[in-house]
Amino acid sequence: MKKIILSLLLLTGLSAIKANAQMEAATKVKWDIEKDVVINMEMDNAWEIFSNNELLKKASNGYVSAIEVLDANMPISRKIVLSNGGSRVENITQNEAHNKLIAINFSDTSLPKGIKSAEYAIFIKAKDSKTAVVWRAKINGNEEAKKALIEQLTAEFDSYAVGLDKMTKKSVPAARMN
């Protein structure tokens, strides 16, 4: 229950709501990672990529070698195998097709040493005829471990940004000249 509440607070960026002038003012969540890209793809197609493990693996641009669903019941548990040989188990705590939002936290067993919690959210939004994909991550732990995980997740998000862009490129076969 605590993780669900934390995820809700994380996703809305609010830690308190002023009601009847009795509560303190809301404070904005300070994200440890903020990655935004605009891709030349329709929003529903981008959502399909994030909803399909094979397409998501392809979109990782080689960063992820496998995605295996361990438990399909909410929260959905899945194992992410990285191309460098590492892996992690993460839980999809929110998967809202109508809002184009996915919230994910690292399983306690996959938290690196020195990290107390790690979670990230993916927001997919229409932007004219293109789509904005937004990653936000919040990590709690000691500074050294936090810095290492921020570097890892930043590299992962960057790889997805490149992979998504590659998926929008249409190749035109060369015409044979005789």
Side-chain angles (χ1 to χ4, degrees):
M1 183 63 151
K2 182 178 178 183
K3 287 184 180 181
I4 292 171
I5 292 172
L6 181 60
S7 294
L8 289 172
L9 292 175
L10 175 70
L11 294 173
T12 61
L14 300 174
S15 64
I17 298 174
K18 187 172 183 177
N20 298 327
Q22 298 297 315
M23 298 178 76
E24 294 181 29
T27 59
K28 188 173 180 177
V29 169
K30 183 181 181 303
W31 300 99
D32 296 305
I33 303 171
E34 297 186 43
K35 174 74 177 175
D36 302 64
V37 297
V38 176
I39 55 174
N40 190 20
M41 183 183 293
E42 291 183 19
M43 182 175 64
D44 288 336
N45 293 343
W47 178 255
E48 177 63 25
I49 290 169
F50 284 93
S51 301
N52 179 310
N53 289 338
E54 283 304 311
L55 292 174
L56 187 59
K57 185 177 90 171
K58 180 179 178 184
S60 79
N61 196 37
Y63 197 89
V64 172
S65 63
I67 301 173
E68 175 189 353
V69 174
L70 303 175
D71 184 354
N73 297 314
M74 286 300 282
I76 299 167
S77 179
R78 67 183 184 184
K79 181 178 182 180
I80 306 291
V81 180
L82 307 174
S83 296
N84 68 5
S87 68
R88 70 173 176 262
V89 175
E90 54 186 32
N91 301 304
I92 299 173
T93 57
Q94 287 182 271
N95 188 353
E96 299 180 9
H98 61 285
N99 290 323
K100 305 294 189 264
L101 153 69
I102 301 170
I104 300 168
N105 66 33
F106 284 34
S107 169
D108 290 344
T109 59
S110 290
L111 291 172
K113 185 177 181 183
I115 299 295
K116 294 179 181 173
S117 67
E119 50 207 340
Y120 63 97
I122 304 162
F123 306 89
I124 299 170
K125 303 174 188 175
K127 188 169 180 109
D128 301 320
S129 63
K130 298 181 180 185
T131 299
V133 179
V134 179
W135 289 268
R136 298 288 185 262
K138 181 74 176 142
I139 301 164
N140 294 309
N142 72 47
E143 287 305 311
E144 188 176 318
K146 186 174 175 176
K147 182 180 176 186
L149 187 54
I150 287 171
E151 287 177 12
Q152 176 191 333
L153 285 176
T154 298
E156 185 173 337
F157 298 161
D158 288 346
S159 189
Y160 276 110
V162 170
L164 287 166
D165 186 56
K166 283 183 178 179
M167 292 175 87
T168 66
K169 307 293 184 218
K170 293 183 168 98
S171 63
V172 178
R176 189 169 203 158
M177 304 286 287
N178 285 334

